[in-house]
Amino acid sequence: MIHARQALLASGWAQDVRITVNKGRIEQIAPATAAQPGDSRVDTLLPALGNLHSHTFQRAMAGMTETRKAGRDSFWTWRELMYRFMDRLTADQIEAIAALVFVEMQEAGYASVGEFHYVHHQRGGAPYDTLAELSLRVMAAAKETGIGLTHLPVLYTYGGAGQLPLSEGQMRFGNEVDRFADLVQGARAGLSELSDDARVGIAPHSLRATSPGDLSSALALHDDGPVHIHIAEQPKEVEDIRNWLGARPVEWLLDKAPVNDGWCLIHATHMTKEETTAMARSGAVAGLCPITEANLGDGPFNGPTFLETGGNFGVGSDSNINISLTEELRTLEYSQRLRDLSRNVMVVGEGSVGATLYTGAARGGAQALGRDAGEIAQGRLADLVAIDSTDATLCALTVDQILDGLTFAAKDTVVTDVWSAGRHNVTGGQHIARDAVVTRYRRAVADLLASL
Ligand SMILES: [Zn+2]
C-alpha cells in the first residue's frame, strides 16, 4: 500500500490518498488522512513516465564524441564512431550496460522503457547460437532491475536508402524478413522470464534500412505489440528517401503503411506542416528525444502545430547521452522557445506547460509502449513515481505549479520512489540493485576499454 500526502490522479489532484496495489495494478484509491503501519509513505505521487525510445548500449560511449575535429562533425560521423564502438561489445557487456541504464532511468523517474534493439549478431555478423541472444540479455537486465520492458527487436536489412548493402559497421544488425520473424519469436519466448507487463513489439529501423516490400511483409507477420520506426531525424535522410521513393519519409509512411495509434514515429523532426497535421491525426505517437536530438544537432520538432491538431507525444532518452526526465522535458520546451523567440510554447491555448508536457508524455509514453498506464486510475498498471515537493526547488510552489517546478526548476534528485507495475524498485532516491549493477558495469567498461 502507498500513502501519499498528495497525488495527481486521473481526475486531478487529491490530498491524502491511500493506493492499494494488487498483481501490479492499482486496485483501489481511497481518501485516508493517515498512513497505516507498513504503508510506503510518500509526499507527492505522480504517474510515472515510460521512456519510449532507448538504445542502451550507447550509454557507455557518452562523452566520447564531444571533441571537435575539423570538418568532420555531423550525425553521420557520430554514427561511424558508434559503429566502431558497438562492434567491440560482447553479450556480457551489453547486458551490464543495459542494467546500468535501467537503474538510471528508474532513478530519474521512468517506470518503463521501449528498448529499440538493433545489435543482434556477433562481430562480423554471424548469428549467436541462440538467434535472439542479445534480446534475451536485454530482458535479463530488465528482470534484474524490475523496469517495465517493451522490447522492440529491429528489422535492419539494408545499408541505406535504395536497398544498399550493409556496410561493415552494420553487419551485427542485419536480418532479412524471415530471420527477423524467427528473432522476434525468440524474443517473445523470453517474455516467460519476465512479469506479465512486459511486451514485445517490432521496430523496422527506418525507411532507409528496409524496403517497401519488406516493410509490408514484416507488418503482415506482426499481430501484437507496438510498431516503432525512426522516421525523419536528419535532412539528408529526408532527401535520400525523397530521391528513392518520391515522397518525404513521413508523407510516404502515412500514405503507404497502416499507421495508427499502435505506432510510434521516432524523431518526427523534419516534417512539413501537412505531414505534421496528418501525423497528429493518424493517432501515432511522436517519439521525441530532445536531449539526444540536441546533442546530435538534429533540429526541433514542430510542437505547436502538432499539439493544436491533437497529436500524441512522449519522450525517450535514445542515445542515453544523459538520462534525465526533467531535462528531457525542459529541453523539449526550450528547443521550441529558441526557435520561436517565444515563451510557453508547448501548450494549447492557456495553461501550464509543465502539466501539458508531463501528463502528455505520461499518456503518450504508455500508448507507445503498449502499457496500460499513463495515469493514476483504478485498474491501471501501478507505474508510479513519488517526488519530494518539500525540496528547496519546489517548496514555494502551489500544487498547480508543481509540474512546472519539476520540469523547469528541479533536478531528478527530487524523485524518492518509483514503482514499475507495482515493483518498488527505487526507494530513498536510489535503485535497490544500484550497487551490484554499477560494480558489474565498471568491470564491463574496463574490459571494453582494454579491448579498444
Ligand atoms: Zn534511436
Side-chain angles (χ1 to χ4, degrees):
M1 310 311 124
I2 303 162
H3 185 275
R5 190 180 66 77
Q6 55 190 7
L8 181 59
L9 308 179
S11 52
W13 283 103
Q15 305 293 309
D16 292 313
V17 296
R18 190 160 182 268
I19 293 182
T20 311
V21 177
N22 188 17
K23 293 182 179 154
R25 290 183 180 269
I26 297 169
E27 187 174 63
Q28 192 185 33
I29 304 168
T33 48
Q36 293 184 15
D39 284 359
S40 297
R41 297 174 60 167
V42 301
D43 176 73
T44 300
L45 196 68
L46 305 171
L49 263 63
N51 183 333
L52 57 65
H53 189 66
S54 159
H55 312 288
T56 47
F57 77 87
Q58 293 178 12
R59 177 62 172 150
M61 57 178 273
M64 291 183 185
T65 60
E66 311 300 329
T67 299
R68 185 165 185 164
K69 294 188 180 129
R72 291 197 43 214
D73 292 292
S74 72
F75 172 88
W76 308 99
T77 53
W78 169 87
R79 193 179 74 159
E80 276 173 30
L81 188 133
M82 184 268 282
Y83 284 178
R84 284 207 303 278
F85 175 85
M86 177 276 304
D87 194 46
R88 309 280 170 164
L89 293 175
T90 66
D92 285 345
Q93 288 162 345
I94 284 170
E95 182 177 338
I97 299 166
L100 178 79
V101 169
F102 294 160
V103 161
E104 291 187 280
M105 285 178 181
Q106 291 178 85
E107 289 179 348
Y110 295 108
S112 59
V113 62
E115 178 63 12
F116 195 106
H117 173 77
Y118 62 93
V119 184
H120 299 302
H121 308 310
Q122 303 180 60
R123 286 182 74 175
Y128 286 95
D129 291 345
T130 301
L131 183 60
E133 173 72 25
L134 296 181
S135 285
L136 301 180
R137 295 304 194 106
V138 170
M139 289 175 154
K143 183 176 184 179
E144 179 181 16
T145 61
I147 201 165
L149 178 69
T150 294
H151 188 64
L152 301 159
V154 168
L155 173 64
Y156 203 119
T157 312
Y158 305 106
Q163 298 179 253
L164 299 178
L166 294 175
S167 70
E168 184 108 3
Q170 296 166 326
M171 301 310 282
R172 297 189 76 176
F173 315 158
N175 288 294
E176 311 275 333
V177 172
D178 287 350
R179 191 166 74 180
F180 175 68
D182 292 344
L183 196 150
V184 173
Q185 278 310 112
R188 283 192 189 287
L191 285 174
S192 62
E193 294 292 317
L194 295 175
S195 48
D196 59 12
D197 56 295
R199 304 287 307 269
V200 169
I202 61 167
H205 177 273
S206 54
L207 293 181
R208 62 188 143 88
T210 185
S211 71
D214 287 357
L215 179 62
S216 55
S217 302
L219 292 171
L221 290 167
H222 181 67
D223 57 5
D224 182 43
V227 181
H228 288 217
I229 185 169
H230 290 132
I231 196 63
E233 182 170 11
Q234 287 279 326
K236 177 181 185 300
E237 177 178 28
V238 175
E239 277 314 296
D240 287 352
I241 296 298
R242 182 156 55 189
N243 290 337
W244 175 37
L245 298 175
R248 300 166 59 87
V250 173
E251 179 187 13
W252 187 90
L253 191 78
L254 293 175
D255 185 38
K256 306 289 187 194
V259 176
N260 59 23
D261 60 7
W263 284 62
C264 181
L265 276 52
I266 308 295
H267 306 308
T269 308
H270 296 285
M271 296 195 289
T272 62
K273 190 162 187 191
E274 291 70 30
E275 286 177 299
T276 307
T277 52
M279 185 188 153
R281 292 197 182 107
S282 76
V285 177
L288 309 175
C289 308
I291 296 175
T292 296
E293 288 160 4
N295 180 266
L296 294 178
D298 289 343
F301 170 69
N302 184 351
T305 301
F306 192 74
L307 286 192
E308 278 162 22
T309 322
N312 303 312
F313 68 93
V315 294
S317 56
D318 192 9
S319 71
N320 296 304
I321 176 74
N322 195 323
I323 299 169
S324 167
L325 193 159
T326 57
E327 187 170 327
E328 209 70 75
L329 294 176
R330 72 179 154 263
T331 304
L332 172 54
E333 169 65 16
Y334 286 166
S335 67
Q336 308 291 307
R337 294 187 188 189
L338 286 165
R339 178 196 58 209
D340 295 351
L341 310 181
S342 182
R343 299 193 72 251
N344 298 337
V345 180
M346 288 294 282
V347 60
V348 178
E350 297 184 343
S352 156
V353 174
T356 302
L357 291 178
Y358 192 94
T359 60
R363 283 193 304 273
Q367 178 185 327
L369 300 186
R371 277 180 87 76
D372 186 14
E375 57 181 17
I376 302 180
Q378 197 178 357
R380 299 277 197 181
L381 288 174
D383 284 358
L384 304 167
V385 57
I387 62 170
D388 178 12
S389 72
T390 68
D391 185 86
T393 56
L394 299 174
C395 65
L397 303 176
T398 66
V399 71
D400 290 329
Q401 295 170 324
I402 282 182
L403 293 176
D404 287 328
L406 180 67
T407 301
F408 295 103
K411 298 190 172 20
D412 295 328
T413 48
V414 297
V415 170
T416 60
D417 297 79
V418 173
W419 289 262
S420 175
R423 298 179 292 276
H424 194 176
N425 297 327
V426 174
T427 172
Q430 190 161 315
H431 192 282
I432 53 176
R434 164 169 269 283
D435 291 347
V437 165
V438 171
T439 300
R440 197 168 80 243
Y441 174 79
R442 285 184 192 283
R443 207 165 47 227
V445 172
D447 291 349
L448 182 59
L449 291 175
S451 79
L452 288 174

